[in-house]
Amino acid sequence: MALAGRQIIVAGAGIGGLAAALALRQRGAEVTVLELAEAIREVGAGLQISPNGLRVIEALGQSAALSARASKARAVVLRDHRAGREVLRLDLGKLPEGQGYLFAHRADLVELLADAARAAGVQIQLGQAITQITPGTPPEATLVNGDKRSADLIIGADGLHSVLRGALNGAAPASFTGQVAWRALIPNDFGHPPEVTVHMGPGRHLVSYPLRNGTLVNIVAAEERKGWTPEGWAHEDDPANLRAAFSGFGGSVPQMLSRVDKVGLWGLFRHPVARRWYGEGCALLGDAAHPTLPFLAQGANMALEDGWTLARCLDESADQPQALARYQQLRRDRCARIVAAATGNAWKYHLSNPLVRRAAHLGLAAAGRIAPDRILRQFDWIYGHDVTA
């Protein structure tokens, strides 16, 4: 066990950081997680845990705990915006055997990973703001109060505005996509089925699916706009603005939006995938390495894959630089491909020309009738990937 006794600091107690911490601890490392927040609160909203991410949850021994809090996904359904007419249904029950798909609240996944990490002996220290990470032998993290922490390895799982990413790659300006998104949670008192539903309209679309065993519904609604919105999902907006933006939508959309009493709004930005994922005594994972747009629901799944792969590479080689190089080799191209696919996905839902939209929807409907399995197989390269094999 190459990791036995290795001192490792993880910056960030998000999904990727906690998954990595647990996987490293299970292999014998001494792990400390430094988290900016004063408490692990119920933040964020819904996540789609697709088969590739769920395999990591299973390998970490947390599948039963997550299933008890999550909703099992039955299908992905695309609908036209006007009356909610079904265009295409992808039956997730036809995924290959062993490929599960869950809807989970982010807070539930973070909590269970944190509990499992603590139980395994990981030290999670809250209220620890890191202002600088300096690669080296050993690497060093500087806290806002001036304290310095060193270890054999420091992992930057510190998200979109990662301190370590900047140290390894320099500044990487983001570009506004011309899209914003709202996020809300509402009570499921109207019987939303266990499905991802995508209502597609001109210049906008709305996604909904149930959480917490069907008691809540997660809503993410994206709109094209020229105006710039500050990056981040914590900007509170007036629910009336969301309802106005989707006033032309029918089906179940008016019913859902009538229940929104609190909504967050954030601008969607493109960030390049980091060129360098590791340096002397340090490595990146999750959004710190490959921020992605939400149009393939793979952000959390990629972070889970990163955490497991990094732990595995470090465990398989006592040569840490070699292990980190192997980690980047295994992960970067795959993540870059997923990020690119997510970036290119939104336009498919936002067709503005009525004739083009109708033709596209008719084509999708025909494909769904003639070859539904073929449509589902287009995701094999994502869902069929198994970093735990």
Side-chain angles (χ1 to χ4, degrees), residues 16-279:
L18 290 170
L22 179 56
L24 290 162
R25 179 60 190 150
Q26 289 175 342
R27 290 165 169 80
E30 300 295 329
V31 186
T32 300
V33 177
L34 302 180
E35 166 58 35
L36 170 64
E38 295 290 342
I40 296 180
R41 302 182 182 90
E42 184 161 311
V43 296
L47 300 171
Q48 297 178 46
I49 308 299
S50 53
N52 49 309
L54 194 54
R55 290 187 186 96
V56 177
I57 298 294
E58 292 167 350
L60 291 172
Q62 302 306 307
S63 179
L66 180 60
S67 295
R69 310 183 194 192
S71 298
K72 185 177 180 181
R74 184 173 69 193
V76 176
V77 182
L78 306 186
R79 296 184 178 275
D80 183 70
H81 74 291
R82 287 198 182 279
R85 175 182 57 84
E86 183 173 306
V87 174
L88 175 68
R89 175 177 291 268
L90 299 177
D91 183 358
L92 295 176
K94 293 184 178 180
L95 287 170
E97 187 175 354
Q99 291 194 18
Y101 201 118
L102 298 178
F103 305 135
H105 196 297
R106 182 185 184 278
D108 293 340
L109 180 54
V110 167
E111 182 180 53
L112 75 86
L113 288 173
D115 288 347
R118 288 190 181 103
V122 173
Q123 301 298 311
I124 300 178
Q125 299 177 10
L126 303 173
Q128 305 297 311
I130 298 174
T131 59
Q132 182 178 343
I133 296 176
T134 306
T137 308
E140 189 174 73
T142 303
L143 305 184
V144 70
N145 63 3
D147 288 351
K148 297 183 183 297
R149 307 282 189 91
S150 61
D152 297 308
L153 176 69
I154 297 179
I155 298 170
D158 46 346
L160 198 61
H161 303 291
S162 169
V163 172
L164 180 57
R165 178 186 170 115
L168 293 177
N169 293 275
S175 59
F176 181 51
T177 63
Q179 298 178 82
V180 299
W182 289 271
R183 175 178 284 167
L185 287 173
I186 60 173
N188 188 15
D189 54 7
F190 56 97
H192 194 299
E195 302 170 350
V196 181
T197 303
V198 184
H199 288 85
M200 306 175 293
R204 66 206 69 208
H205 74 280
L206 185 145
V207 179
S208 61
Y209 52 88
L211 300 175
R212 290 184 173 163
N213 295 308
T215 60
L216 296 174
V217 171
N218 184 68
I219 294 173
V220 178
E223 177 193 44
E224 295 175 5
R225 72 163 63 161
K226 294 180 180 178
W228 182 85
T229 300
E231 190 170 16
W233 51 264
H235 308 287
E236 191 167 344
D237 194 26
D238 187 336
N241 294 332
L242 170 60
R243 286 190 275 269
F246 288 83
S247 59
F249 280 52
S252 62
V253 172
Q255 184 182 32
M256 287 191 289
L257 296 187
S258 71
R259 287 163 166 77
V260 175
D261 58 12
K262 185 176 182 181
V263 65
L265 173 68
W266 79 107
L268 300 180
F269 287 73
R270 292 187 188 90
H271 296 258
V273 175
R275 181 177 55 85
R276 295 183 62 203
W277 285 36
Y278 71 96

